[in-house]
Amino acid sequence: MKKFLLTAAAVFALSFANAQEKSNEGFSKGDVFMSGSINLSNSKWAASGNYQESAFTLAPSLGYFVSENFALGLGLNISNATAKATSSSTESKTSTVGLALMGRYYFTPSSKFSSFVHGEFDYLTMTMDPGSVKVNGMGFGVAPGFNYFVSKNLALETSFAILSYSTAKADVSGAEAATNFKLGLDLSKINFGLAYKF
């Protein structure tokens, strides 16, 4: 009976180890991944003269694991927003294009579930109509996050900002820079996305 139990335990252990090797979930050094998010919003305020605002944002990024725990990458941010009061025919439009340098530290990258810290430096240019006013800006942010592999190559991601700084200035004479600094946990600013490992 003892021999049978030991043999069964050994077979189970080998099967489990073999299954772990074949799953290949998680990240490792040299992996390349693409992540990002798409956001759509549409808001109306009846108390403000039937004011309506809609926005679209596409933010893909590409990362490469330079070590077991650390990934470097580049990101792109494209967004368009439109605002209009129904009592007016004038529409205000804002178009933004941004580039980002990012770094991520994963605490358990080879696991199915892992937490990470995401740091990012951004540069953006914005055009606002009417008037074709251009605004240039830069900033940085730090955000903790989590990812969970639902298959060998696909992971769900979520993150929320805790630290951010940005500065922007209109490209007109006499314009002053506008700065914004935030520190704290804001659970209303949670981002969801996908990551695909190549």
Side-chain angles (χ1 to χ4, degrees):
M1 185 67 175
K2 278 186 180 179
K3 285 184 180 179
F4 174 76
L5 289 175
L6 287 174
T7 304
V11 169
F12 176 75
L14 288 173
S15 299
F16 181 74
N18 194 29
Q20 289 293 95
E21 284 179 15
K22 287 183 180 177
S23 73
N24 289 331
E25 292 175 334
F27 292 114
S28 59
K29 183 179 179 181
D31 280 346
V32 176
F33 67 94
M34 177 178 251
S35 67
S37 61
I38 298 174
N39 295 313
L40 296 168
S41 66
N42 194 350
S43 306
K44 292 181 181 180
W45 295 275
S48 304
N50 291 324
Y51 183 77
Q52 182 174 345
E53 183 178 87
S54 59
F56 168 77
T57 301
L58 175 65
S61 61
L62 191 66
Y64 173 74
F65 272 82
V66 295
S67 71
E68 289 298 322
N69 295 81
F70 191 67
L72 291 174
L74 294 172
L76 180 65
N77 187 315
I78 300 168
S79 67
N80 285 293
T82 304
K84 180 181 178 181
T86 54
S87 58
S88 169
S89 60
T90 305
E91 211 174 46
S92 66
K93 295 182 179 180
T94 305
S95 300
T96 305
V97 176
L99 293 173
L101 295 172
M102 67 173 200
R104 278 190 182 179
Y105 182 85
Y106 285 79
F107 292 95
T108 54
S110 60
S111 300
K112 186 170 184 147
F113 175 80
S114 180
S115 58
F116 61 81
V117 175
H118 177 98
E120 189 171 294
F121 176 79
D122 302 290
Y123 174 79
L124 63 86
T125 181
M126 183 186 306
T127 304
M128 296 185 293
D129 285 314
S132 295
V133 177
K134 289 194 175 181
V135 177
N136 297 312
M138 64 179 68
F140 69 86
V142 176
F146 303 95
N147 76 307
Y148 178 76
F149 275 87
V150 293
S151 71
K152 178 179 157 183
N153 298 93
L154 187 66
L156 303 175
E157 288 188 344
T158 184
S159 64
F160 44 93
I162 59 169
L163 172 66
S164 66
Y165 171 82
S166 63
T167 180
K169 186 176 179 182
D171 193 12
V172 294
S173 61
E176 294 185 9
T179 60
N180 189 4
F181 177 78
K182 291 182 182 177
L183 175 63
L185 183 62
D186 186 358
L187 294 178
S188 68
K189 301 290 184 187
I190 297 177
N191 296 313
F192 295 96
L194 296 172
Y196 184 82
K197 180 178 72 171
F198 295 97

